[in-house]
Amino acid sequence: MAKATYKDSGVDLDVYRQSMARLPGLMRRTHTPRVLPAEGGFAGLFQLDFDGRLFARNYRDPVLVACTDGVGTKLKVAQLAGRHNTVGIDLVAMCVNDVLAQGAEPLFFLDYYASGKLEVDVAADVVEGIAKGCVEAGCALIGGETAEMPGHYAPGDYDLAGFVVGAVNADDLLPRDTIQPGDTLLALPSSGVHSNGFSLVRKCAAERNWRYDQLLGGVPLGEALLAPTRIYVKPVLAALAAHGSAIKGIAHITGGGITGNVPRMLPENLAATIERAALPQHPIMTFLQAEAALSDAEMAATFNFGVGLVLAVSESAVAAV
């Protein structure tokens, strides 16, 4: 009987090493002075120096804020379209926007990429998107894991997960307990569908024979659907620094849509009034609602309806914010 090898089982370590060789350069693009060298190490190193020497903020009483998220079945659209350079941005965005909702600055990020058979160019495109997202968010990509699991994923499939750690002063945590009747909700527009509701998108596409190459406002539908999730970190952190306590809460409009996420920042005795006419008229949202015959209630509970982030702001500070 011939000797068994790992390669016979579907895992090619030479391909794995080829893929890993591309990562250090991509990661270095995202590094800040807080990242310590760890060449060949088994984990990333990040210096928690909160005295303002390495941090943009001066942390008096720092609280670490952590979360994990994925991209969901938007990955299936990327795989069908053969376009893999934007879902990494989505991965970062879904995580950093969540810590931002607590008022936190994202510090560092790690990713998990898993497939049945490692395709070097696909993995490189994904990680390049992750690095781009980290640069946009101002956080460092300090490590991750690439897993090759033959038989566990169908050919061409891969999955992603992301992990971020951020920091905020304890007295700057959001939402604040000062949210009150008369405060104003400010909606920041989304770039498109972002990374939620794609199971419904794919169901409607299959039932209505949508083609991902059909044009929507001069752009292929697949490209419009894959527009990466907007990262709100830098402008919102700047607004928080400039206007302090005037920004009382932030809701990241992810799974559950507007109606599921805005109440998460409100005290139990308050409700939000949202004017339908005030929502951004994003072309992809207009298309989905019209072509799939979706009610306003379904759109608001499943999709971001053109709104990626909602801020609760003191009425007197609306113009300034």
Side-chain angles (χ1 to χ4, degrees):
M1 182 179 294
K3 292 182 178 180
T5 66
Y6 207 9
K7 188 173 182 178
D8 293 337
S9 70
V11 179
D12 190 331
L13 292 178
D14 289 333
V15 172
Y16 178 83
R17 283 187 282 268
Q18 182 183 348
S19 180
M20 293 303 100
R22 300 189 183 190
L23 299 185
L26 292 173
M27 293 171 65
R28 279 193 292 271
R29 292 184 200 172
T30 74
H31 286 181
T32 67
R34 297 169 282 189
V35 179
L36 301 182
E39 296 294 337
F42 290 89
L45 305 178
F46 191 92
Q47 186 174 8
L48 291 178
D49 173 12
F50 287 115
D51 63 5
R53 182 169 59 87
L54 297 179
F55 284 78
R57 286 175 162 182
N58 182 20
Y59 289 95
R60 303 174 302 278
D61 185 13
V63 175
L64 293 180
V65 181
C67 75
T68 182
D69 211 332
V71 183
T73 59
K74 187 174 187 175
L75 293 177
K76 294 297 293 185
V77 177
Q79 290 154 13
L80 288 169
R83 181 177 174 180
H84 310 283
N85 61 346
T86 59
V87 290
I89 302 174
D90 287 302
L91 184 67
V92 175
M94 293 298 286
C95 295
V96 298
N97 288 340
D98 273 355
V99 299
L100 178 66
Q102 306 299 141
E105 170 195 11
L107 302 179
F108 59 86
F109 189 86
L110 299 100
D111 71 280
Y112 176 81
Y113 176 97
S115 63
K117 181 176 177 56
L118 185 59
E119 298 181 44
V120 175
D121 290 339
V122 171
D125 279 350
V126 171
V127 179
E128 185 164 355
I130 293 171
K132 184 175 180 180
C134 285
V135 169
E136 189 174 342
C139 68
L141 176 62
I142 65 170
E145 166 68 359
T146 300
E148 191 173 19
M149 298 186 285
H152 193 72
Y153 293 94
D157 282 358
Y158 59 84
D159 201 6
L160 289 175
F163 314 85
V164 68
V165 172
V168 61
N169 283 312
D171 55 2
D172 291 330
L173 273 167
L174 299 179
R176 304 183 193 278
D177 59 10
T178 55
I179 297 179
Q180 62 186 8
D183 286 342
T184 300
L185 298 181
L186 297 182
L188 305 189
S190 66
S191 57
V193 184
H194 284 187
S195 300
N196 295 101
F198 272 88
S199 293
L200 179 56
V201 169
R202 291 170 47 245
K203 181 177 187 293
C204 293
E207 292 177 350
R208 291 164 171 78
N209 296 313
W210 297 346
R211 300 189 329 273
Y212 290 119
D213 62 350
Q214 70 186 74
L215 294 181
L216 175 64
V219 176
L221 176 60
E223 184 176 331
L225 290 169
L226 288 172
T229 304
R230 182 164 285 167
I231 293 173
Y232 299 94
V233 172
K234 290 181 179 179
V236 172
L237 286 179
L240 287 168
H243 304 292
S245 60
I247 299 175
K248 301 179 178 182
I250 297 176
H252 182 201
I253 309 304
T254 56
I258 291 176
T259 52
N261 287 287
V262 170
R264 294 171 65 178
M265 67 172 167
L266 302 179
E268 289 186 5
N269 64 322
L270 288 187
T273 298
I274 297 174
E275 299 289 343
R276 169 67 176 84
L279 297 177
Q281 303 303 302
H282 197 289
I284 192 66
M285 295 297 162
T286 303
F287 171 85
L288 289 172
Q289 183 164 23
E291 296 299 318
L294 301 175
S295 67
D296 279 358
E298 184 67 43
M299 289 292 294
T302 303
F303 298 108
N304 63 54
F305 223 162
V307 174
L309 209 72
V310 175
L311 279 60
V313 178
S314 300
E315 187 177 15
S316 60
V318 167
V321 173

